[in-house]
Amino acid sequence: ASPFVSWPLMRIAVCIDFRNQILYLIPDPILHIYLQGKEELPAEAPTLARLAVEVLMCFFIYDTVYFFWHLLHHRIELLYNLVHSTHHEFHAPFSWVAQHVHPLELIETGCIAIAVPKLLGCHPFSTWSWLAVLTILRIETHCGYAFPYQLSSLIPPGGYGGSVAHAHHPQHPECNVQPLPTYR
């Protein structure tokens, strides 16, 4: 694993991400519609307060569940070697690494992200908003930069790890296991 980002490494990451998109992420909603039929949408959008509460609940519950999932995949050698080690093939953070994962990890973490709003009974718009927020935060966490407008720059120090905290994780897998907020 290289500590630097290079075009050959980016090409590998993009190819893995493309494979995951084509083989797993694109067929998923098609399979969902086929198995469950089209979902009836509510007549009205959620209120802004409901949207905010549901997205925040998804954020904290997902973050807690993912924290334990991630911790187990670092503590149990078999899970790390078979599933999670793909994500650690790169030591330099860059946005494509967010989805540079083994297919099982992609499916497992995707199921967690989708199960949380389903179990909470969130409005479909809240679910879509949550998934958009999660995607943005995962890319931000793996981008390797500390921009002034990132969430980690807006929340007081220690409240959210962001890319600065997560940049240490690939080189030191036992630190910064939490995905989004920083637990100290």
Side-chain angles (χ1 to χ4, degrees), residues 90-114:
F90 297 98
H91 286 182
F94 60 101
S95 60
W96 285 99
V97 176
Q99 290 297 330
H100 182 80
V101 295
H102 187 279
L104 283 176
E105 181 168 350
L106 181 70
I107 292 166
E108 291 167 1
T109 57
C111 285
I112 296 168
I114 292 169

Side-chain angles (χ1 to χ4, degrees), residues 65-82:
V65 172
Y66 182 87
F67 169 77
F68 288 108
W69 177 94
H70 196 198
L71 189 64
L72 283 173
H73 280 72
H74 276 276
R75 298 274 167 90
I76 299 172
E77 191 175 346
L78 181 66
L79 288 175
Y80 183 83
N81 291 336
L82 291 178

